[in-house]
Amino acid sequence: MADNATSTIRATFDTREAADLAVEHLVQQHGIARPDIIQSASDENTTGTESSRGDVKRADAPHEGEIEVSVDIAADQLQAVQRSFGDAGAIRVSGR
């Protein structure tokens, strides 16, 4: 009998670039549909807490907060997704 349990896993990133990379890993390596992935850490528009290669400080994209990527996954994907988040540069990963 298959285990249908799901877990929500969240990862926090300092840069938009790292968060975007994590989303691409989820889509391409784990087959998770892009609309099922949530990116937010706050209600504010932010590019993260640090600049990445293409970031330019702008008034409409301030460096004022971390970026969170959240996804519901099958329990048997937990370790692989945690590893992917780490590979993409997550500063924190949590699951429930």
Side-chain angles (χ1 to χ4, degrees):
M1 185 168 168
D3 182 3
N4 293 329
T6 61
S7 297
T8 300
I9 186 168
R10 291 180 172 80
T12 307
F13 299 87
D14 282 331
T15 67
R16 169 66 59 187
E17 179 182 34
D20 289 343
L21 180 61
V23 169
E24 289 306 313
H25 283 208
L26 294 174
V27 171
Q28 295 177 18
Q29 295 176 355
H30 303 288
I32 298 170
R34 195 174 302 276
D36 293 338
I37 303 167
I38 300 167
Q39 271 187 263
S40 67
S42 71
D43 293 333
E44 298 194 22
N45 180 22
T46 183
T47 58
T49 58
E50 296 180 12
S51 292
S52 54
R53 293 182 304 210
D55 290 345
V56 176
K57 287 195 177 195
R58 300 178 358 201
D60 64 335
H63 295 293
E64 293 182 353
E66 297 168 339
I67 300 165
E68 181 179 275
V69 176
S70 175
V71 65
D72 292 331
I73 56 168
D76 63 352
Q77 291 181 293
L78 185 62
Q79 288 183 346
V81 170
Q82 286 175 327
R83 213 171 15 260
S84 288
F85 279 148
D87 291 347
I91 56 173
R92 281 186 302 285
V93 178
S94 64
R96 63 175 169 100

